[in-house]
Amino acid sequence: MGQAVRNFISSKRIALLLALVHWLSSFFTERLILTVSPMAHAVDYALCKLILLVALVLFWDFVIRIFQSKESRRTAMYALPYLLVLILWLFLRHPFVLEADELNLFTRATELDSFAYWFNYFSGYYWIICLMLLPFPMGPVFIKLLLQALVVGYCLNRQRNHSGKWATLLLYLPFLLPFVLDLGLSAHRLPLYGMLYLFLAAKLFYDHKERRTLDRKTLVLLSVIIAVLAFWRTEGIYLTVFGAGLILIAYRIPLRENWKKLWKKALCYGLILLLVALPQLSAYTNAPAPLSLRTKPLCGYALSNMLRCGLTVEEISVEDYAAIDAYLPMEQVLAFNERRGDSGFAQADVMELVRPDIDYPTQEKFCNAVKHLILSHPFLYLKSQLLAFDYTSRQYPLTGDLKNTLLYGSYRQWLPLILCFVFFLYSLLRRRWMTLALSFCALCNWALVTALMPAAYAKYFYVDYLMGWFLLFVGLSCLLSRRKEQIYD
């Protein structure tokens, strides 16, 4: 026992030493890519360096545990084949040139700008930290491949305890779907968000299944992950409350237990949420434009869609029409709808029609007018957003050949949504509380994304996609192993 403790302490010291050396080297590698002095954004720079140090300690601790722990070794062994698949997919599908939002994130990161006003500071910090380690444009993408492979390896390692060596391999299949592989090559916000969400769900699911207890370390880890997910995307706000419920259910914590202990857990959870949210709230407060203007793409998109789906000009009040037309010419919006038809659902291209050099008050009046239209015609708005959700599945029409059939099936967003709904009903009837909570959260995520999405991007529904297929293949792996246990207990 004493020798085991000494070995544990020794391995922690080695991990810390390696992390420190790696961290110190980043002060030199970052000079190859950063275009400004660290003092230009001193607070962001310091926070990124601190997060990087913590990440490197965790990374090197995991690397050392590969040689000491069966669990870590199996996670790495499951992750490695999938990492090779991702690398192969990278060479087949990636142009090795950053475009659109990823290019914007890269450019801002080289200037130590977290781009917090638009993509949230988590996205900016991720790119800044990755470029500190790998100082070239594709660096964050390469790190994303590793992170995704580790999450998949973690899921398979945990599943192996319940379905055996060979049946567990079935769980690779949802991660080999073209849609998941395509998003695996992106280091944008949603592909990262989806993998973090899956890790959280898998840990809660398996910890509940194995009746593990909630210690302080696990509480802090889960609270940090939930806080990041709650504030990284607008739709994640439900996790501020439901995240606490997930923890209570996963670790079977009775509400009638010692209130002093429960109060301490709640205080820890709340403080972590607050600390994680503060930098983002500060970014919104100090932004050059009013926060409400972040809704401009959604407002333009909603206006165009509602007009296409039945809203008439006569139903718009004189005041709202004037406020809208002052920013986005109504005649051009109507012509845009005639020209584009259903393809207008694809994205908020209508915003290319905005009048030039419009001041902030006029832009705010435009947003307020569209919001008034939405509140006045809620069912028409929901209809247009549901049609936009349907449009996300039209990227690959069914033509008959094998390759296209695979892409067609992989990009059908309503398939995993149906799975989430089925698991919700099944869990409700069979009282499988953990699966019920996870599927319910996935449905909440879908509802909020559908209501708020400013474009018909399939990636917006990545969380629901992963949860639906993950829960299905967990069950199939257990059934294949023929083990006599309650699959979703």
Side-chain angles (χ1 to χ4, degrees):
M1 181 67 178
Q3 184 61 40
V5 172
R6 285 194 293 272
N7 290 339
F8 174 79
I9 295 174
S10 177
S11 66
K12 293 295 181 183
R13 286 178 176 175
I14 294 172
L16 180 58
L17 178 61
L18 291 172
L20 281 172
V21 173
H22 199 167
W23 184 68
L24 290 172
S25 71
S26 71
F27 285 89
F28 298 94
T29 55
E30 69 189 25
R31 294 179 184 177
L32 302 174
I33 196 74
L34 297 183
T35 59
V36 297
S37 165
M39 299 312 297
H41 297 276
V43 175
D44 286 335
Y45 180 81
L47 286 174
C48 285
K49 278 298 184 185
L50 179 60
I51 296 170
L52 174 59
L53 179 59
V54 173
L56 288 174
V57 170
L58 294 174
F59 171 76
W60 284 110
D61 180 59
F62 172 75
V63 171
I64 291 173
R65 283 191 287 111
I66 290 175
F67 302 97
Q68 299 177 338
S69 164
K70 181 175 67 174
E71 293 294 312
S72 298
R73 186 160 53 251
R74 287 199 319 204
T75 295
M77 290 177 64
Y78 282 125
L80 181 58
Y82 188 67
L83 178 60
L84 295 177
V85 170
L86 285 174
I87 292 173
L88 176 62
W89 199 259
L90 180 75
F91 283 97
L92 291 174
R93 302 274 287 185
H94 203 288
F96 284 85
V97 176
L98 298 180
E99 300 174 339
D101 289 336
E102 284 187 310
L103 180 59
N104 287 332
L105 284 165
F106 166 74
T107 303
R108 299 289 185 116
T110 61
E111 300 168 352
L112 290 176
D113 182 353
S114 65
F115 213 177
Y117 176 74
W118 202 252
F119 288 128
N120 198 292
Y121 79 97
F122 303 119
S123 300
Y125 279 13
Y126 172 82
W127 277 77
I128 293 171
I129 290 168
C130 289
L131 291 177
M132 287 176 173
L133 290 176
L134 300 179
F136 50 91
M138 289 290 291
V141 176
F142 291 155
I143 292 177
K144 168 59 167 43
L145 300 184
L146 177 61
L147 293 176
Q148 180 155 327
L150 287 174
V151 170
V152 172
Y154 176 83
C155 291
L156 268 80
N157 176 50
R158 296 297 300 268
Q159 179 61 28
R160 179 169 172 166
N161 297 326
H162 306 281
S163 57
K165 181 179 180 181
W166 298 110
T168 296
L169 299 179
L170 193 66
L171 194 55
Y172 270 128
L173 292 182
F175 304 112
L176 294 175
L177 290 170
F179 180 62
V180 178
L181 291 174
D182 281 344
L183 289 187
L185 309 184
S186 173
H188 200 359
R189 179 165 49 160
L190 271 161
L192 289 163
Y193 187 94
M195 281 296 119
L196 184 61
Y197 196 106
L198 176 63
F199 172 76
L200 171 70
K203 178 166 179 57
L204 292 171
F205 177 82
Y206 291 116
D207 282 2
H208 178 268
K209 194 174 182 67
E210 296 164 12
R211 294 184 175 273
R212 297 195 181 187
T213 57
L214 181 66
D215 55 31
R216 291 180 183 176
K217 180 180 176 182
T218 302
L219 175 61
V220 171
L221 173 65
L222 293 175
S223 298
V224 170
I225 294 174
I226 289 171
V228 171
L229 292 172
F231 300 113
W232 200 349
R233 297 275 309 169
T234 303
E235 66 270 14
I237 195 65
Y238 68 93
L239 286 173
T240 55
V241 176
F242 291 171
L246 287 172
I247 294 175
L248 292 173
I249 294 171
Y251 298 97
R252 295 177 168 85
I253 301 173
L255 292 177
R256 295 180 181 178
E257 77 164 12
N258 187 316
W259 277 98
K260 185 177 180 180
K261 292 181 179 179
L262 195 60
W263 179 81
K264 288 181 177 179
K265 291 183 176 71
L267 181 61
C268 174
Y269 178 82
L271 285 175
I272 289 175
L273 256 66
L274 179 62
L275 288 173
V276 171
L278 281 177
Q280 188 60 38
L281 295 175
S282 175
Y284 287 151
T285 302
N286 298 320
L291 181 59
S292 61
L293 296 189
R294 295 184 76 250
T295 63
K296 282 190 301 181
L298 171 61
C299 290
Y301 184 72
L303 174 67
S304 173
N305 290 345
M306 290 173 70
L307 287 168
R308 195 184 309 114
C309 292
L311 180 68
T312 62
V313 174
E314 289 74 20
E315 293 177 285
I316 304 175
S317 69
V318 175
E319 295 80 5
D320 287 343
Y321 186 98
I324 292 169
D325 190 68
Y327 179 66
L328 190 60
M330 285 290 289
E331 289 186 3
Q332 294 189 37
V333 174
L334 296 172
F336 171 87
N337 282 341
E338 286 288 334
R339 183 173 66 255
R340 292 289 299 272
D342 280 356
S343 66
F345 283 117
Q347 52 190 354
D349 290 337
V350 70
M351 296 302 288
E352 296 175 3
L353 305 176
V354 298
R355 300 183 190 274
D357 304 322
I358 301 298
D359 57 23
Y360 287 153
T362 303
Q363 294 177 42
E364 281 196 284
K365 289 179 181 178
F366 162 77
C367 292
N368 291 335
V370 175
K371 290 170 186 175
H372 181 254
L373 279 179
I374 292 172
L375 293 175
S376 301
H377 303 85
F379 294 108
L380 182 59
Y381 173 71
L382 290 177
K383 174 187 174 182
S384 67
Q385 291 297 96
L386 286 170
L387 289 173
F389 168 70
D390 178 67
Y391 191 85
T392 63
S393 294
R394 301 187 198 175
Q395 183 170 347
Y396 292 98
L398 189 60
T399 59
D401 63 281
L402 180 61
K403 177 183 176 181
N404 188 268
T405 300
L406 180 60
L407 290 170
Y408 172 86
S410 175
Y411 273 80
R412 300 300 96 175
Q413 298 304 312
W414 49 266
L415 285 175
L417 174 64
I418 290 174
L419 287 173
C420 288
F421 185 70
V422 169
F423 282 119
F424 173 76
L425 292 179
Y426 167 83
S427 304
L428 184 62
L429 294 173
R430 299 298 299 273
R431 297 184 180 182
R432 303 290 188 262
W433 305 122
M434 192 69 251
T435 311
L436 176 70
L438 291 174
S439 56
F440 177 71
C441 284
L443 292 174
C444 288
N445 185 85
W446 173 84
L448 289 170
V449 171
T450 301
L452 300 173
M453 63 177 178
Y457 292 156
K459 65 181 181 179
Y460 284 160
F461 301 94
Y462 196 33
V463 165
D464 315 282
Y465 191 96
L466 290 171
M467 291 308 304
W469 290 120
F470 171 74
L471 289 173
L472 175 66
F473 278 90
V474 162
L476 292 176
S477 296
C478 290
L479 288 174
L480 185 64
S481 69
R482 299 180 180 178
R483 294 194 175 188
K484 295 181 179 180
E485 63 172 310
Q486 292 182 334
I487 297 172
Y488 298 109
D489 186 21

